[in-house]
Amino acid sequence: MTESPPIAAIIALGITQIIGYGTLYYSFSILAPDMSRDLGWPSEAIFGALSAALLIGGLMAPALGKWIDRFGAGRIMTAGSAIAAAALVACALAPGRISFVAALIGIEAASNLVQYGAAFALLVQIRPQAAQRSITYLTLIGGFASTIFWPITTMLHAEISWQQVYLVFAGLNFVICLPIHAVLSRQMRRNRVRSGKASPARRVEGTLAASARRMGFVLMAFSFSLQSLVSSAILVHMVPLLSGLGLGATAALVGTFFGPSQVLSRLTNMLFGVNLPPLKLAIIAATLMSAAVFLLIPTAPSVAGAIAFAVVFGLGNGLFSIVTGTLPLLLFGSDGYGKMQGRVMAARLIVSAVAPFALAYLIGSIGVVWSLALTLAAGVLAVLVLVVIGQLARNGSASEAAATQTSN
């Protein structure tokens, strides 16, 4: 009998994901100009500090993944909410640049403990056989983080300083997210006591043969890293890229089509893609992101072409968030899921930290069009790698079937 998704847990986690992404990620770009002014740093240095913090957070991710498997995702997320609150307070009260950067590193470390990677692991641990649908539902809710927190941050900052905004956000993490994570952690422990900690019926077996798993993981991490490179580079530079292609003042307006498209793709997948295998969904996501860049290059400076780019890129990026949780579960199963997520997250975060600077350098060196062409090449390569993973899975299944027939 197929397990149903834990709706109450998904809604509760959805609330914490909106707050987690909104306070720890999306608010930064709005508050950065005043951070720059108060610290006496150019804005490039502020974003450089963020990239350094992301890089360090990426290096920490494998250890965090092991902790999730060892102690349970609920406990880790509870601790993460406390660390997030403390790091936001430390950032707000930082007396100088060094302490500010240290607090920023704390924020990025906390992000790994409370955002999608940990939340996906918690859903796998709560109800493994329903985890694929649960992850889809969660990303649909979490997709509203930017829509909600960009205006909230802007309105708050119009009335109070960035330090006070961070103090308010620290309160949200401590008063709302921490209790929710604690309740989910306690409930998960109770469920394990009732049903037995290692009930084999609740495990999800991976589809990749044991002999293909090492290669499969390397290929999956490589493809995800390429897609993260495309995603982070384009998102950070979306408005400057569109302006550089001749769209001028309309570039910012075009960028607003991205967020709703992310939510639309997740909603469409939830309603009509229930039976779509995660590998096919991953190929679709990577193809859409590549197609968006391909659309932009020849159509610029057409506004219609730019809008098509923003919509298609948003559709692909929205699905990409889902497959980073569901594809590892499909290929490798639920055992050691937290550790696996930590290793994949490390590669993705490191690439995401470097990508914006790499694209900025390329734009300055070879121009916008050639930079987009190289970005497109990375996206196409990600698609091809996913196709290879599919072939690897089919070969492994054929080999196992042949071995079974031989033994019989």
Side-chain angles (χ1 to χ4, degrees):
M1 183 175 177
T2 303
E3 286 187 308
S4 59
I7 299 300
I10 293 169
I11 293 172
L13 276 176
I15 293 171
T16 70
Q17 292 307 288
I18 289 173
I19 294 174
Y21 275 98
T23 60
L24 303 175
Y25 182 73
Y26 287 114
S27 64
F28 187 85
S29 61
I30 295 173
L31 303 177
D34 278 6
M35 293 175 178
S36 173
R37 182 199 64 204
D38 290 349
L39 292 168
W41 266 359
S43 59
E44 293 83 359
I46 292 292
F47 282 99
L50 177 64
S51 292
L54 283 168
L55 187 62
I56 294 172
L59 295 174
M60 295 170 60
L64 300 180
K66 292 179 182 178
W67 296 346
I68 285 173
D69 284 336
R70 181 176 179 183
F71 301 109
R75 287 181 177 178
I76 294 300
M77 295 188 79
T78 304
S81 293
I83 295 170
L88 286 166
V89 171
C91 203
L93 302 180
R97 298 173 181 177
I98 294 176
S99 54
F100 173 83
V101 173
L104 205 57
I105 292 170
I107 288 174
E108 293 309 321
S111 297
N112 292 340
L113 297 174
V114 299
Q115 291 177 351
Y116 276 153
F120 293 164
L122 180 56
L123 290 174
V124 170
Q125 291 174 356
I126 290 174
R127 205 164 291 177
Q129 294 178 353
Q132 289 189 14
R133 278 186 294 161
S134 300
I135 289 170
T136 300
Y137 298 160
L138 179 63
T139 56
L140 176 63
I141 300 172
F144 289 97
S146 61
T147 306
I148 292 172
F149 265 86
W150 273 336
I152 285 178
T153 305
T154 301
M155 288 187 293
L156 281 174
H157 194 37
E159 302 296 330
I160 57 180
S161 67
W162 71 267
Q163 291 95 335
Q164 291 169 321
V165 172
Y166 262 11
L167 292 176
V168 171
F169 288 170
L172 292 178
N173 280 275
F174 193 79
V175 174
I176 299 178
C177 297
L178 190 151
I180 288 176
H181 293 152
V183 169
L184 290 173
S185 177
R186 191 179 307 116
Q187 186 62 46
M188 190 174 71
R189 290 198 299 273
R190 287 175 181 170
N191 291 344
R192 282 186 173 181
V193 170
R194 289 174 189 160
S195 61
K197 186 174 181 181
S199 175
R202 291 175 56 83
R203 295 171 62 246
V204 173
E205 297 290 342
T207 57
L208 271 184
S211 59
R213 290 198 168 192
R214 181 181 293 274
M215 178 58 69
F217 179 83
V218 171
L219 291 172
M220 183 186 71
F222 183 52
S223 178
F224 281 178
S225 296
L226 287 171
Q227 290 175 78
S228 292
L229 184 150
V230 174
S231 176
S232 59
I234 293 290
L235 288 180
V236 170
H237 293 287
M238 182 177 287
V239 174
L241 274 173
L242 295 175
S243 298
L245 290 170
L247 273 84
T250 59
L253 176 63
V254 169
T256 61
F257 285 86
F258 171 79
S261 299
Q262 281 198 119
V263 176
L264 176 63
S265 68
R266 293 168 184 172
L267 179 61
T268 303
N269 180 65
M270 184 183 75
L271 295 176
F272 305 108
V274 176
N275 297 318
L276 189 65
L279 184 57
K280 288 186 178 179
L281 189 65
I283 292 173
I284 291 171
T287 301
L288 285 170
M289 292 169 70
S290 300
V293 181
F294 180 77
L295 278 172
L296 182 62
I297 295 173
T299 59
S302 163
V303 173
I307 291 175
F309 153 75
V311 170
V312 175
F313 196 79
L315 293 173
N317 203 69
L319 296 177
F320 178 51
S321 297
I322 298 173
V323 299
T324 57
T326 58
L327 186 59
L329 183 63
L330 168 78
L331 297 177
F332 305 102
S334 57
D335 288 348
Y337 182 85
K339 178 182 177 181
M340 181 170 46
Q341 274 285 9
R343 291 166 63 192
V344 174
M345 197 186 309
R348 290 181 55 212
L349 286 175
I350 291 169
V351 169
S352 297
V354 174
F357 282 97
L359 184 58
Y361 174 79
L362 287 174
I363 291 172
S365 301
I366 61 176
V368 174
V369 173
W370 282 107
S371 299
L372 285 173
L374 289 176
T375 305
L376 172 61
V380 171
L381 181 57
V383 176
L384 295 176
V385 171
L386 289 170
V387 172
V388 172
I389 293 174
Q391 187 61 48
L392 194 66
R394 286 190 291 273
N395 291 343
S397 299
S399 299
E400 286 189 348
T404 301
Q405 290 178 356
T406 302
S407 63
N408 292 336

